[in-house]
Amino acid sequence: MKPSGNMVSQPLVKAVVIVNTKGGRVCSRFCDKVMWPDLETERAFEATLLKKVQALGEISHGVDIMEFGGHIVAYTQCDDLLMFVTGLASENELILAEVLGSLDESLNILLRGLVYEENVLLHLQGVLLVIDELVDQEGVVMESDPVELVSRAGVQSSSFIDNVPMGEQTLSQALQIAKDQIARTILQG
Amino acid sequence: MTDVMGDDRLLKIKDEDGMMSPFEGIEKGSVLQDCRCFNDLQLDTQKCEAVLVRLLYLVGQGEKLTSAEATDVFFSVTKLFQANAPSLRRLVYLAIKELAHTAEEVIIVTNCLTKDINSNVDMYRANATRVLCKITDAQMVQAIERYLKQEIVDRNPVVASAALVSGQQLLANNKGDVVRRWVNEITQALEHQSPMVQFHALALLYQIKQHDRLAVTKLVTAMTRGGGSRSPLATVLLVRYTARMMSEDTTTPPGGQRPLFEFLEACLRHRSEIVRYEAVRAIAALPNVNANELMPAVTVCRLMLTQPQASMRYAAMRTLASIAFTAPIAVAASNSDMEVLIGDGNRSIATLAVTTLMRTGSESSLEGLLKQIGGFLADLADELKVRVVEALREVCLKYPSKHHALLNFLGNALREEGGLEFKRSIVSAYLDLMATLPGAKEMCLGHLCEFIEDCEHSQLSTQILHLLGREGPHTSAPEKYIRYIYNRLILERPPVRAAAVSALARFAGSSSTPALRRSVAVLLQQSLADSDDEVRDRAAYLYKALGLDQFTIARPGGGGVIKLVSPTANGVPKDEGKDKDVAAMTAKAEAFTSLPCPVANLEAELLRYISTGDTSTTFNVDVVPKQNIMQAAESGTASGPSGPVAPGARAGASVAGGRRAEAKLVDPAAAVMAVPQLAQLGRPFKSSPSVALTEEEVEYTVKVVKHVYPTHVVLQFDVENTLEDNQLENVTVAVDTSSASGLCDVVLLPAAVAKLGAPATAFTVITRTDGELPLGAMACTLRYTVRDVDAATGEVDDSGYEDDYQLEDLELTIGDLMVAPAEPPANFRAAWEALGGDNEVAEEFSLSHDSVATAVGEIINYLAMAPCGGSGDANPRARSHVLLMAGIFAPQYEVLLRAQVAMQPDGVALNVVVRSQDYEVSQVIAGSIA
């Protein structure tokens, strides 16, 4: 009989990390208390992730993959945020890429396409719940369909738009999104 | 207060100024205070949500709550169960999960959660299940088992998944033996409409059955026969389980496991790319897979290489790269696709493509490839550059005829921008190539000389200077290198100058022409007035030791100007006697410029010498052992020379700059040499790594370190008492040497006391009989007097009784008499030829290992010899392997071993040839393996 450490594992996510481009943590879930026993190791890992991504140069649109120190890392950039989903080097990278894709897509649905640091923090409640529905604390993939994820998280976006009666919502919503996007473009420019 | 905070937050939401974080200036104290609103009679749901989010944000940022604070929050949170707002409840669940590990009063929320599991809102049921199973204990699980069973077969996928995944968690944490009783329900869930539920059900089912091989086989066969599952992730699991079954069953070749392999092949055509890729990985990782079976997998990879998603290209590229290690031919078909990827935007993909192409490409395509790499190397991150260099080195060894182009390429890379790691990898590539391609030596030296002309890393400069000193004098034109070394002498920092002095002095060695010696004398003389102590001392010492002062005329009247005899003048009379002196002196100087022993050994011995406090006898460098006595305390000891070493007596104290921080080394013999009675034995020839003689979880644990001396064997027993309520006194370990050979009298040195947290060491000293090797097994018994200790007061009871404790047998093997040489021969073949075939012994064995790699690992472990030329790492999938090892057998026999390991249907065939300086030694070693 082989030792149990050698058992076939199901696909596992080791960490879901969202940091801003300066390396500040926005929201992270680490799923391996052995690999990251405390805050310091977590922070150090986040810093390494950021360093590696920056060393690799420009990030293409969509999900990218890299490998270092026994981790396979799927990463993507959303405005001023970097999102990572990591697994062991032996993990199927396409599954990690899919999990990251779901996270990205769900946040886009949840935040109506405005995924940037401030907005994520403003709607942290929804973001936390989406991550909780995406992978559990041990790294098991719970659900990967973005629409399903957002509905399971079941939060009404707490911004004031939602308190506006249904009929008027679409117009004011459109205006708000336009306003937000113009503001972002100006700020970035 | 809380209202102010609330308004504040609203303000920030409306603030269009953008970059401000809504959690700016958030503080633990105020958030905890805000948590009091959970206790309000009329709950304000929105406000509570906001406070909870802030609490979660704080915890997420790493803020630690004290145990009291956590308990407090917990109590408040239970109040929130009164509110019936779904989004608030979701947050409450999350908060409990995040805080659970810090709170002791988990029990206070269990009631509320159990109620939720009973509720008719699916979202509540699912989440309450997840939370409760995470924080609860085995007993509680039994109380809710009924509900969990129902949930597993629930129509709602959220509920079913929650229960199934919770079941996995319970099993993994040994809290859920009840889970094993749910097999019927779980099997039912395999047919659930939701693909995710199917996936979770299959994972749990496997987890339950994993120790029962037959049950797993049945499960997998039934599922694969049914064509797999509709869920991609569940199919991924099936692929993994199938591959596992195939690799465990090594008796039938892959062809014999037709149905299983056909399932994997069918998965290569699955509609989901995740499954297709998983099947590719599984097939590529099968042991004994042949090129034909790999073909369909490689084809799938090729298709993936042209996909727009980076993740697909990366995945395919990584798998192709790993296949290329074992079966480059199978991958070669996709060369054209990989060439396209050299220009890929994702640099990791491009690097993988390049390194793989080097492995799979033909010799003729190499130069074209080099051109392409040259174009993109500059934009790579250092880490990726290092990988490219490593691949280049491999290619160079594979196609020695191409070394010209490759070395030039590396030379160019060396002059370009790049960090220390990158440069170091190139330098060590050069070192390797020089060792294996003697024809390329001068070219390598030339490139390295160019490099140090403009090198910002003193570490590398010193390393290269040392190398020049070693190799330069034996080249066709040593003068060429002197210029480069001299440039360092006038331009560099002290550590590099010191290295340059040592290197320069080597050129004035016995083999040099008088003209060369004279030139070196001129150059070295300048360093006699160097501003740095180390440089000046080295120069003065070497100058004197090499007899270079014969080239000078004494300073007239102590004046500052040093006149030299010009090489053309007949200043130096040429006579026989003088030449002999020179030869003797240079030999002496050379002996000092290269230490006779590893630096770590010298350091350990010097420290020991100082710590004894007895300086009446002078330290003798000759007694320092020449083998590696130190054992790395951590794995990953730095390799490669650590820079030149200062000459002679100063060596231990000051070592030239550039010395790399090495992994911590410990002297395994330190403990035994610290015992006064044993110190007179000197240093043991070999100290074996510590071996446990007891199980780990017993009252008294004992570990043994075997020290072998020329006349004695000392067994060092480290005894640890894990019991709080007694202590052991007068601890000895008796050994029965009757069934071992070469041993006679036994003397026991007891350890006084062993109690909890204070391990004790007892020694057993056995005298060796002359002319026999100490080998064989010995029964060991731990003897001691037990005294009770009052755990509370620490008081020791006066009365005690004697007792003993049977330990596992201890064995002295060949490995205990063998040490690895400090520097295994770089060229094994030459060493092998040099030792000659007179004392050669060949043996054949068949071992019962299931792979070549494990057999190789075990042979290395058993014989404790040093593998040469990287032959110690066998590819895990290899069918055969040749292992080359060197060792020194007690007391001083040089031993070389060549072992050929090949896979056989019923195990592993081993063919061993041993050469040594003594026929009997060869015989003993070759015969010991069986």
Side-chain angles (χ1 to χ4, degrees), chain A residues 25 43 52 91 118 137, chain B residues 18 60-61 134 240 383:
Chain A
R25 174 188 288 187
R43 294 266 188 202
K52 297 277 175 197
E91 196 49 82
E118 191 196 1
Q137 282 174 317
Chain B
Q61 292 294 322
K134 181 169 171 62
R240 287 189 186 180
E383 199 174 86

Side-chain angles (χ1 to χ4, degrees), chain B residues 227-238:
Chain B
S229 166
R230 275 168 297 124
S231 149
L233 282 177
T235 315
V236 165
L237 285 181
L238 265 185

Side-chain angles (χ1 to χ4, degrees), chain A residues 67-88:
Chain A
E67 183 184 4
F68 74 90
H71 302 278
I72 280 278
V73 181
Y75 60 97
T76 191
Q77 183 162 21
C78 252
D79 208 298
D80 56 353
L81 290 176
L82 283 164
M83 297 195 246
F84 301 90
V85 171
T86 84
L88 290 181

Side-chain angles (χ1 to χ4, degrees), chain A residues 5 33 35 64 69 83 85 94 97 103 109 120 185 187:
Chain A
K33 283 276 168 274
M35 211 179 273
D64 253 321
M83 297 195 246
V85 171
L94 297 187
L103 175 66
I109 298 175
V120 165
T185 337
L187 282 168

Side-chain angles (χ1 to χ4, degrees), chain B residues 553-699:
Chain B
I553 294 174
R555 303 168 194 197
V561 182
I562 301 163
K563 281 188 190 159
L564 283 163
V565 178
S566 91
T568 48
N570 288 331
V572 186
K574 202 168 169 64
D575 66 316
E576 288 293 304
K578 200 97 183 179
D579 264 6
K580 258 185 212 151
D581 284 352
V582 168
M585 277 193 284
T586 51
K588 198 172 128 206
E590 262 163 30
F592 273 124
T593 45
S594 63
L595 270 185
C597 56
V599 185
N601 293 7
L602 184 64
E603 187 178 339
E605 286 293 299
L606 278 170
L607 283 174
R608 195 161 72 92
Y609 177 72
I610 295 165
S611 64
T612 56
D614 173 23
T615 48
S616 55
T617 52
T618 47
F619 182 79
N620 184 358
V621 75
D622 293 335
V623 302
V624 179
K626 292 167 184 56
Q627 314 89 22
N628 271 334
I629 52 167
M630 308 304 273
Q631 287 168 2
E634 300 147 357
S635 55
T637 329
S639 61
S642 55
V645 162
R650 289 178 53 93
S654 68
V655 171
R659 185 174 157 197
R660 211 184 295 170
E662 290 185 354
K664 205 176 132 211
L665 292 170
V666 290
D667 183 357
V672 67
M673 287 191 297
V675 179
Q677 299 99 306
L678 299 175
Q680 56 179 351
L681 291 174
R683 172 173 282 282
F685 168 76
K686 165 81 185 254
S687 299
S688 305
S690 179
V691 181
L693 291 181
T694 52
E695 304 278 327
E696 252 174 56
E697 306 288 327
V698 291
E699 299 97 321

Side-chain angles (χ1 to χ4, degrees), chain B residues 41 55 95-96 119 132 141 187 326 355 376 408 495 512 581 640 733 745 780 804 815 843 849 898 902:
Chain B
L41 270 172
L55 184 69
I96 294 174
S119 93
L132 192 57
V141 177
T187 315
T326 44
T355 49
F376 95 131
N408 276 334
S512 316
D581 284 352
V733 179
D745 303 339
C780 306
D804 52 35
E843 290 273 1
H849 294 276
R898 186 174 178 283

Side-chain angles (χ1 to χ4, degrees), chain B residues 28 31-33 35-36 38-39 51-52 55 59 65-80 95-96 99 102-103 108-109:
Chain B
K28 183 171 92 170
V31 173
L32 286 177
Q33 203 162 33
C35 286
R36 286 185 193 158
F38 302 162
N39 296 324
V51 174
L52 262 186
L55 184 69
V59 175
L65 300 185
T66 65
S67 174
E69 286 166 345
T71 312
D72 216 31
V73 172
F74 247 93
F75 266 118
S76 319
V77 165
T78 48
K79 301 275 178 13
L80 294 179
I96 294 174
L99 298 169
T102 50
I108 58 179
V109 289

Side-chain angles (χ1 to χ4, degrees), chain A residues 50-69:
Chain A
L50 193 75
K51 214 176 80 198
K52 297 277 175 197
V53 167
Q54 281 164 351
L56 285 174
E58 65 193 87
I59 299 174
S60 58
H61 294 286
V63 174
D64 253 321
I65 303 256
M66 63 175 170
E67 183 184 4
F68 74 90

